[in-house]
Amino acid sequence: MDNNVFKDIRGIACEGLIEKEAVVEYKKNFSCNKKISRAELSVTAYGVYVARVNGEIVSYPLAPGYDSYPYRIQYQTYDITDKLGDENTVSIVVGRGWCGFYDWNDLIGLLSSSRTMIAKITVFYEDGSIDSICTDSTWSGSLGKTVSSDIFNGEAYNAAMEQFESLPLKTVDLSERNIVSQDGEEICEVEVIKPVSMFITPKGEKVIDFGQNLTGYIEFELDANAGDVIEISHAEVLDKDNNFYTVNYRTAKAKIKYICKEGKQKYKPQLTFFGFRYIRIDKAPNAVCKDNFKAIVVHSDMKRTGFLKSSDLLLNKLFDNIIWGQKGNFLDVPTDCPQRDERKGWTGDAQVFCKTAMYNFDCEKFFVRWLKNVREEQNALGFVPGVVPNDWRKDYCSSAWGDVATVCPWELYLTYGNKELLRQHYPLMKKHVDFITSVTEEQFLWKGGKHFGDWLGLDAPSGSYTGSSDKTLIATAFYAYSVSLLVKAGKALGEDVYEYEQLYRSIKKKFNDTFKEFNTQTECILALHFNLPDSKEATVKKLVELIRNCGNHLQTGFVGTPYLLHALSENGEEELAYELLCREEYPSWLYSVKNGATTIWEYWDGVNDNGEFWSPDMNSFNHYAYGCVADWVYSVALGINAELPGYEKAKITPHPTDRIDELEGTFITRHGVIKSRWYHRNKKVCYEIEVPVPATVVIDNKEYEVQAGRYEF
Ligand code: BGC
C-alpha cells in the first residue's frame, strides 16, 4: 500500500460463492454527536462500486476503475463533510465490474467473486477529536435492487423490491494487496445526448437512434405501474434492411432489464457501460416514447487540446469521428472498442493512436497511470503483453503491440516535456528492447515468437485477419524503431547508450542484408518511415507502384496505416498522401464517413457498398486505431511539431495542397495555444501562424526563426 489509509483495516466480503453477476450492498449505520469540521470516505472494491452517504451518491462513475488488479488497485477518497448528520448510513454497492474478467480460481477472481470491499470513514470534529468507521464484522451485507450487473452483459434492476436477502459476511486481510490512491483521471459523465428519432424496423422492433455512436449508458424517466417491465438492447448499427444488429457484440448481451415501482421514476445503470448508437425497446409500457430517454456519455476526464477544421465537410466529419473514437475508448484505460466482449487495453491500439490522442486531449495523466500497469505487467524478462491489464493471461509479446513500451513514453516526453516521467519510464523501454534481444531466434532480427502482423491489412490471404506483410520484417523494423527511441530517451536523460547505438546499427545492417525487396505497402512504409533501407529511392518507387497498381488506394492494417501518409510525404510523395486522405471510395478514411459513420471503424469496409458486414465477429464500429491519421494532419498538413520536448520551442512546417481550400488546427500546449491555418486566395497560399513560444517556421522551404506571436505569410 502506498498510503496508510487502510493500515490495520480488514476488507469485507461475502461468505461463500455468490451468483456470478450478483450485486451486493454493504451498509453501516453510525452517529456523529459533535460538530464536524471535515469528513471523508476512502473506499475501493474488487469490482465496481457505488458509494452513498445518507442516500446520496458520492462516488464517481465506475469507480475504482480498471487496473492490473493482481499488482495494483486504486482507492478513492471523497469529501463527505456536508453529507453527514447526527445519524448516518453509508452504503457501498458492489458489482463484478472489470474484475469479473479474471478467472474465478485466480486470487483476483476470488476477491471479485465474493465482492470484496474495503472502506474507511474519517470524521474530524471541531473539538479536535477524530472518529474512524472502518469495514469490519459490524457491517451488514445484502442483495439489493440491482439484481445483476456485468460489464459485457449489462444490468438488471428491480425498483419495486422491498425485502432484501441478507448475506453472511467475512472479513478479509488485504494487507498484502497494493492499494494505491487514485492516480488516474476520474471517469466522468461528460455529456448528455438526446435521441434524434424513434422508429419501427421492418422486423417490427421499436428502436431509438441517438445519432451518435457513443460509450456510456442511457437514462430513462417515466411514470409507471409497479411491476411494469422495461427491457432494452443496445446496438451500434442497423443491418442492410434497417433492422437492429447485435451480432458484432459477440457474446456481450449488453442489455438492461428494469422492473418499475409505482409512479414517477428515473433509472440509469451504474455498474456497467455500453458502446451504442441505437437502443431497442424490447419491452415497455406502451406509452413509452423517445422523450423518456437520453444517453449519457462517459469517459476519463481529459481536457480537449486539439481542434481540426477544414473547408471539406467530409474531412471535418472524419476529424469529429476521431474525437468520438477517443472519447469512446479512453474509459480509464485505452481500449480497443467499448461494445463487444473485449473492451481490453490492447497495447498495439494504444501504440498506434497515442500520438493523435495527445494532440486531441491532454492525456498525460491518463497514459502515465496506464503505463504503471504496463510496467507492472512487464515480467522479469521484459515481455509486454498484448493487453494491459492482462486479465486474459495471454503470454506473448507481439511486435508493434509490445512496442508501446517505447513509443508511448517517448511521445509523452515530446508532447509534455516531463523528463522525470521519461526517467521513470526508461527501465520499461530498456527492458522491452533487452527482451527482444534475448528472445530472438537470430541475432539482430526479431525472429520467432507470436506476432499479430499487419492486423486487418487488406492484403490478408482469404480467411485470415493478418495482412500478408512478412512478420519478421515488421518485428525487426519495430525492434530498430524501439532501439532508436531508447537511444533518444537515454541521451535526453544523460545515460550511456553506446551499446544501444551499436545495436541499432547492427539491426539496420541485418535488416538490409535480410530484406532485399519489399512486397507490400506496409513493408515499404515501415522501412521508409523507420529510415531503414540504405537507399530509399527504390522503396519509395515500390510503395507508389503498390498503391497505384491496386487501384490508387491503401491496403494497410494496424501496423502500416499509422505511417502510410508520413512515409509518402517524407519522401516527396505528399500529393499522393493527400490523394489517399481525401479519397472517398472504399478503401479509405472517408469511405466510412460517406457511409454514415459517427466513429472510426475497425475495418476499412465494416459495412460494404451493399450494406453487408465484412465479418460477423471482428467488426467494431468504434475502434480508434485508424483515427491515427489525425497525427499526420496535425504534424504534416498543418505542421504543428515540438522542436524541443514539451513545445518549449515549436516547429511549424505546414504543407498545403490544392485539393483542400482551407485547413486550420489549434493545439493547446503546456505553454499556450499554437494555431496553424492555410488557405488559398487569388491563386496563392496564405498562412496564419500563432505560437506561444519561440518557433522555427518553415514555409515553402524557407526557414524563419520567430518569437511568440501571430504571423501571416
Ligand atoms: C482487437 C484489436 C487488437 C487485436 C490484436 C482484436 O480483437 O480488437 O484491436 O489489437 O485483437 O490482434
Side-chain angles (χ1 to χ4, degrees), residues 313-594:
L313 293 180
L314 290 178
L315 276 181
N316 289 348
K317 184 65 187 153
L318 171 70
F319 300 152
D320 197 44
N321 292 357
I322 293 169
I323 294 293
W324 274 103
Q326 184 164 354
K327 290 193 206 179
N329 284 295
F330 275 49
L331 183 72
D332 218 38
V333 307
T335 56
D336 55 336
C337 57
Q339 74 299 79
R340 67 180 177 219
D341 55 356
E342 204 155 345
R343 312 187 198 183
K344 298 282 175 199
W346 277 101
T347 48
D349 305 43
Q351 183 273 119
V352 163
F353 189 73
C354 65
K355 187 166 179 200
T356 292
M358 292 175 209
Y359 276 117
N360 288 338
F361 288 89
D362 187 330
C363 23
E364 185 179 35
K365 189 172 172 189
F366 175 87
F367 274 122
V368 169
R369 157 14 184 57
W370 180 65
L371 284 171
K372 286 186 186 169
N373 286 282
V374 177
R375 279 149 64 191
E376 294 288 3
E377 297 278 12
Q378 185 177 40
N379 70 5
L381 272 178
F383 142 115
V384 171
V387 298
V388 172
N390 192 11
D391 40 36
W392 266 358
R393 294 283 190 253
K394 301 255 169 152
D395 60 351
Y396 50 88
C397 174
S398 164
S399 56
W401 272 250
D403 295 289
V404 78
T406 51
V407 176
C408 192
W410 182 247
E411 293 300 341
L412 279 172
Y413 178 59
L414 285 185
T415 309
Y416 304 112
N418 188 329
K419 208 175 253 189
E420 201 29 56
L421 285 175
L422 184 66
R423 190 173 301 287
Q424 280 173 29
H425 294 137
Y426 192 67
L428 167 76
M429 302 172 83
K430 193 160 172 296
K431 264 167 84 179
H432 172 63
V433 162
D434 292 345
F435 161 77
I436 304 170
T437 305
S438 73
V439 293
T440 181
E441 289 167 9
E442 196 175 330
Q443 204 184 16
F444 307 131
L445 287 181
W446 187 355
K447 192 169 172 194
K450 203 167 160 190
H451 300 275
F452 297 118
D454 193 20
W455 184 247
L456 303 187
L458 290 180
D459 51 8
S462 109
S464 162
Y465 289 134
T466 306
S468 54
S469 300
D470 184 308
K471 285 186 177 170
T472 305
L473 186 152
I474 293 177
T476 306
F478 268 93
Y479 184 19
Y481 184 44
S482 274
V483 175
S484 75
L485 296 182
L486 179 68
V487 168
K488 284 187 191 172
K491 284 190 173 162
L493 295 170
E495 297 281 332
D496 176 6
V497 287
Y498 176 75
E499 181 196 333
Y500 292 101
E501 286 178 301
Q502 293 296 104
L503 175 61
Y504 178 78
R505 274 184 219 114
S506 307
I507 298 170
K508 190 166 167 171
K509 177 166 186 314
K510 184 79 177 187
F511 186 91
N512 278 292
D513 291 347
T514 313
F515 306 108
K516 298 283 182 207
E517 60 180 40
F518 305 108
N519 298 311
T520 67
Q521 293 182 8
T522 290
E523 291 179 6
C524 296
I525 292 163
L526 295 187
L528 287 171
H529 187 63
F530 295 159
N531 256 319
L532 296 170
D534 289 333
S535 151
K536 286 181 160 184
E537 241 165 80
T539 315
V540 180
K541 203 164 153 247
K542 179 78 187 204
L543 175 58
V544 174
E545 216 173 271
L546 286 166
I547 295 170
R548 293 292 179 215
N549 289 350
C550 72
N552 301 314
H553 63 73
L554 55 76
Q555 288 184 306
T556 49
F558 274 42
V559 167
T561 302
Y563 308 121
L564 165 62
L565 302 192
H566 288 281
L568 290 169
S569 58
E570 283 157 0
N571 292 287
E573 294 294 339
E574 201 171 284
E575 267 314 300
L576 180 52
Y578 270 116
E579 185 181 329
L580 298 182
L581 175 71
C582 297
R583 183 185 158 96
E584 296 175 17
E585 306 80 36
Y586 167 79
S588 67
W589 280 277
L590 296 184
Y591 170 79
S592 67
V593 174
K594 280 199 87 174

